[in-house]
């Protein structure tokens, strides 16, 4: 359960570990697998996963660590390198997508999806502008 932006019961030293990006990627990969089943998606929804993706420490780390590096990722041509926090961002997007496939019939999820998009509007606009030549 996510409480105050943190995963309840997770020790502070684990959340602050320098390999936290790898831990976040592994956790989000597991969350995606759980979300692929409707029961799992409903359980994640009832535990506020979308709120965590846009308000938790994960959000803070992604926006802090990836904000400037995202430009380098997009502009680096054929030798693109995805930094770890960009990978976390991609997994967060995948998580929201899989949940939406499973929960699109729920108004509450759609409201959370809109809030997610609003939270990341600048990031989404910047990426779409660069990648789609808008």
């Amino acid at each position: 359960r996510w409480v105050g932006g943190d995963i309840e019961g997770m020790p502070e030293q684990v959340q602050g570990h320098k390999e936290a990006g790898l831990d976040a990627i592994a956790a989000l990969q597991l969350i995606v697998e759980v979300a692929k089943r409707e029961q799992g998606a409903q359980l994640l929804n009832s535990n506020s996963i979308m709120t965590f993706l846009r308000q938790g420490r994960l959000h803070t780390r992604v926006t802090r660590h990836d904000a400037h590096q995202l430009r380098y990722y997009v502009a680096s041509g054929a030798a693109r390198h995805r930094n770890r926090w960009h990978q976390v961002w991609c997994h967060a997007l995948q998580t929201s997508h899989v949940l939406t496939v499973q929960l699109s019939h729920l108004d509450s999820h759609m409201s959370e999806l809109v809030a997610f998009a609003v939270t990341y509007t600048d990031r989404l606009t910047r990426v779409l502008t660069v990648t789609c030549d808008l």
Side-chain angles (χ1 to χ4, degrees):
R1 185 130 176 99
W2 290 272
V3 178
D6 294 328
I7 299 175
E8 187 174 49
M10 182 178 281
E12 181 67 30
Q13 64 271 23
V14 172
Q15 292 178 356
H17 191 265
K18 72 178 188 175
E19 296 299 320
L22 292 176
D23 295 340
I25 290 169
L28 287 168
Q29 287 172 334
L30 177 62
I31 289 168
V32 165
E33 290 305 313
V34 170
K36 286 180 179 178
R37 298 190 180 273
E38 188 172 353
Q39 251 185 313
Q42 290 175 350
L43 180 64
L44 290 166
N45 188 54
S46 69
N47 282 285
S48 308
I49 185 67
M50 291 296 288
T51 301
F52 172 72
L53 292 176
R54 66 185 170 83
Q55 293 180 353
R57 277 193 186 173
L58 181 69
H59 160 76
T60 303
R61 287 185 178 208
V62 166
T63 55
R64 181 179 62 218
H65 291 288
D66 192 37
H68 300 294
Q69 295 175 11
L70 185 61
R71 279 182 277 161
Y72 299 132
Y73 166 77
V74 172
S76 60
R80 286 190 233 178
H81 173 71
R82 291 184 184 189
N83 71 71
R84 189 172 297 145
W85 290 103
H86 183 82
Q87 291 177 35
V88 171
W89 164 243
C90 289
H91 285 292
L93 284 175
Q94 182 184 21
T95 301
S96 68
H97 169 75
V98 171
L99 286 167
T100 301
V101 167
Q102 292 295 337
L103 303 173
S104 62
H105 62 282
L106 296 177
D107 289 340
S108 62
H109 175 73
M110 297 313 286
S111 295
E112 285 292 328
L113 181 63
V114 168
F116 179 86
V118 167
T119 298
Y120 293 109
T121 296
D122 292 342
R123 171 177 298 257
L124 293 168
T125 301
R126 186 174 64 237
V127 170
L128 291 171
T129 300
V130 170
T131 58
C132 299
D133 292 325
L134 298 177

